[in-house]
Amino acid sequence: MEQSMDYGKERVVALVDMDCFYVQVEQRINPELKNKPCVVAQYKTWKGGGIIAVSYEARAHGVTRNMWADDAKKLCPDLQVARVRESHGKADLTHYRDASVEVIEVMSRFAVIERASIDEAYMDLSASVKQRLRSIEDVQIEPHLLTSTFVQGYPQATTSQDKTEDAMLDNDAVRLKGLGQWLASLPPTTQMDSADLQLAVGAIIVEEMRAAVEQCTGFQCSAGISHNKVLAKLACGLNKPNRQTVLPLSSVTQLFSSLPISKIRNLGGKLGASITETMEVENIGELAKFTQGQLAQHFGVKTGQWLYDLCRGIEFEPVKPRQLPKSIGCSKNFPGKTSLATKDQVQHWLEQLALELEERLIKDRDMNGRVAKLLTVGVRLAGETKPSSYSRCCALARYEASKISTDSYAIIKSLNCAGNHQQAWSPPLTLLHLSASKFSDAPTASYGGGFLSE
Ligand code: DCP
Ligand code: CA
Ligand code: CA
């Protein structure tokens, strides 16, 4: 098929992701933790608790997520440890969720955003970029508008002497050199349909957005600016923290030639593993040697076409305007000996989870004017060989913890293999998860906008 020169470069898409998010939230609550090696840990019962977020100062000492806080302290003796709060006997993430709402609120002043997780959001900047380009005169874009921007693939080191020279520069000098080179290669701002020029203007908007986020919330973040979600997400991770990266399509071939398939959005799991196995390739760029037909043969027409474009850096998934989470859920793990082995225990923890869910659903209804209609219960069973997971759902009729927990119990009861007359639950459960989804507008009388808020 004949494709236009700009195939795959139609949009400007960015991803913004907060740096060590929970750590920054804790540092804002307790400023003594700022600029120090610091982690956020969950629960204290075992080895000082499990680490779920790590400041960049602590990363420099080799501290990583999933380490025990006690082990991390051996690597970094002056490590500061902030603790996740607990309520209903489980982790309480309210602070982080509230901080997330603050950030999303600031970002939404700049663009229509899609909230992708507690600390990241996609945005389609195509329209804003065109508008900005129309409003600026015929000028060259100056590096001082892009003070925290890296351009992937630049500076282009062509000779080995170039490479030796670049190796002598500090990180920011390399950044500036690359940025300068790339900006110099752009056409004048009157040539509005230039894909790279559009990326440059997108990057200016994202610089402004990130500055506003820091100004209004105190939190720093990183960003990726490219032509689609996959490239934007990838670019965002290239120069963390507190930096943003432009990924022009022309730099993709080089980047993809040594990029493991698992690093690509949506390919971190089973699909990625099966691609590596069936096609016998390690890096995403290697997929470009297969025809559309070959890829379709192994992965079906739809996925095959998607991969054919993707390994060339081309992807079309739209940014969906959505600021609110699609579901509200909570869960708790019961590892090893703590697994739930009696009906009473299962009921008790369903009640605790239902209490949290009720609280958060009511807050969500009041703030966002919507109600969830579906309740899903997930469990994981302890297994000798491999653990198995199940989920069951039912209608969510009322926001009432007691009703939620009895309904939840009723729909998972059949997973208990112990006899009806026994108190045991078997096999024991190592995870319980409750989640509410399928939102629709709340009846207007029951929340803000009625006479009470006049
Ligand atoms: N989080 C968690 N458990 C995980 C992954 C993340 O509780 N397995 C929480 C803590 C993180 C937050 O979500 O602070 C955001 O996750 P990220 O993966 O974006 O990681 P960070 O923001 O901590 O670090 P980075 O600067 O690398 O983005
Ligand atoms: Ca993050
Ligand atoms: Ca994230």
Side-chain angles (χ1 to χ4, degrees):
M1 187 172 46
E2 193 68 20
Q3 278 159 356
S4 83
M5 232 174 70
D6 280 336
Y7 182 67
K9 301 191 220 171
E10 297 84 357
R11 297 174 296 156
V12 177
V13 174
L15 175 86
V16 177
D17 179 279
M18 309 310 292
D19 300 326
C20 54
F21 185 49
Y22 288 12
V23 170
Q24 288 200 81
V25 174
E26 295 297 340
Q27 287 172 328
R28 193 177 70 171
I29 295 169
N30 178 6
E32 276 183 18
L33 302 176
K34 279 188 185 162
N35 307 313
K36 288 185 184 158
C38 176
V39 296
V40 176
Q42 198 163 276
Y43 308 123
K44 218 192 154 118
T45 40
W46 179 250
K47 294 193 175 184
I51 292 176
I52 57 171
V54 186
S55 79
Y56 282 78
E57 291 85 352
R59 291 182 204 195
H61 289 82
V63 176
T64 61
R65 175 177 293 156
N66 297 328
M67 264 180 193
W68 300 112
D70 288 351
D71 293 339
K73 276 196 176 146
K74 289 173 202 155
L75 293 172
C76 177
D78 51 356
L79 187 70
Q80 308 287 313
V81 182
R83 306 235 157 242
V84 177
R85 294 172 197 49
E86 288 181 37
S87 66
H88 308 301
K90 61 180 293 299
D92 176 4
L93 306 179
T94 309
H95 283 303
Y96 314 122
R97 290 199 190 92
D98 289 349
S100 175
V101 171
E102 275 182 60
V103 169
I104 296 288
E105 197 273 319
V106 178
M107 289 188 200
S108 303
R109 294 182 209 155
F110 291 78
V112 175
I113 68 151
E114 175 182 336
R115 180 191 194 273
S117 79
I118 194 161
D119 82 329
E120 62 200 83
Y122 289 97
M123 51 214 78
D124 187 326
L125 297 171
S126 313
S128 325
V129 162
K130 283 178 190 143
Q131 195 183 2
R132 182 71 70 97
L133 271 169
R134 275 193 295 272
S135 77
I136 51 182
E137 305 280 304
D138 174 12
V139 291
Q140 198 71 34
I141 293 173
E142 300 286 343
H144 71 82
L145 296 170
L146 294 162
T147 50
S148 67
T149 301
F150 283 79
V151 183
Q152 178 61 25
Y154 292 78
Q156 291 178 323
T158 39
T159 67
S160 60
Q161 196 191 337
D162 286 346
K163 283 179 193 155
T164 322
E165 276 174 27
D166 291 351
M168 313 263 281
L169 299 172
D170 73 25
N171 202 27
D172 200 60
V174 177
R175 180 191 74 78
L176 257 177
K177 185 176 171 188
L179 178 65
Q181 233 179 49
W182 183 66
L183 289 177
S185 77
L186 300 181
T189 46
T190 46
Q191 209 167 307
M192 286 180 45
D193 55 357
S194 155
D196 277 5
L197 184 60
Q198 293 179 355
L199 290 185
V201 174
I204 294 175
I205 296 172
V206 176
E207 287 270 6
E208 293 166 357
M209 175 186 299
R210 291 179 42 246
V213 167
E214 185 168 6
Q215 169 89 48
C216 300
T217 69
F219 300 137
Q220 293 184 339
C221 57
S222 300
I225 301 102
S226 193
H227 298 296
N228 57 58
K229 286 175 156 182
V230 172
L231 293 186
K233 169 87 186 168
L234 183 65
C236 178
L238 295 175
N239 293 288
K240 264 181 164 277
N242 202 24
R243 296 288 180 272
Q244 59 182 55
T245 306
V246 172
L247 176 50
L249 199 57
S250 56
S251 297
V252 163
T253 310
Q254 167 87 54
L255 182 64
F256 276 15
S257 68
S258 61
L259 190 79
I261 288 174
S262 61
K263 300 280 182 211
I264 296 275
R265 173 174 186 258
N266 293 332
L267 294 183
K270 279 183 194 162
L271 177 58
S274 96
I275 293 168
T276 303
E277 198 169 312
T278 37
M279 308 312 279
E280 298 183 326
V281 295
E282 293 297 322
N283 299 318
I284 184 73
E286 294 173 70
L287 283 181
K289 69 183 175 206
F290 300 108
T291 64
Q292 242 163 296
Q294 287 172 314
L295 293 169
Q297 192 192 331
H298 290 286
F299 306 104
V301 174
K302 228 178 132 192
T303 306
Q305 173 69 55
W306 181 71
L307 286 172
Y308 182 84
D309 284 333
L310 186 69
C311 66
R312 294 168 172 78
I314 293 168
E315 209 244 1
F316 297 101
E317 188 187 298
V319 175
K320 300 164 205 81
R322 182 172 57 75
Q323 286 188 31
L324 301 175
K326 270 195 280 198
S327 65
I328 293 181
C330 50
S331 55
K332 188 169 167 69
N333 279 304
F334 304 95
K337 283 183 191 159
T338 64
S339 65
L340 309 180
T342 68
K343 291 175 181 169
D344 282 348
Q345 282 180 316
V346 173
Q347 267 165 344
H348 169 78
W349 283 107
L350 283 175
E351 280 161 23
Q352 301 311 303
L353 291 172
L355 281 170
E356 175 181 335
L357 192 61
E358 178 200 77
E359 246 170 57
R360 288 173 48 207
L361 283 172
I362 289 172
K363 187 172 164 194
D364 176 77
R365 183 182 63 201
D366 294 345
M367 305 227 338
N368 304 320
R370 59 178 192 164
V371 286
K373 295 293 186 195
L374 188 74
L375 175 67
T376 306
V377 187
V379 302
R380 197 166 56 221
L381 312 184
E384 296 288 296
T385 46
K386 60 172 186 209
S388 47
S389 300
Y390 296 91
S391 79
R392 299 276 186 273
C393 56
C394 66
L396 173 53
R398 266 179 289 141
Y399 283 3
E400 203 179 283
S402 60
K403 167 100 177 121
I404 292 172
S405 69
T406 48
D407 287 355
S408 302
Y409 188 78
I411 56 177
I412 62 165
K413 217 165 58 181
S414 63
L415 295 170
N416 181 8
C417 299
N420 256 337
H421 51 284
Q422 290 184 34
Q423 259 312 302
W425 187 290
S426 158
L429 302 183
T430 56
L431 170 84
L432 274 181
H433 175 79
L434 286 190
S435 155
S437 61
K438 298 249 184 292
F439 286 94
S440 54
D441 290 342
T444 43
S446 62
Y447 69 97
F451 64 94
L452 282 176
S453 63
E454 290 294 328

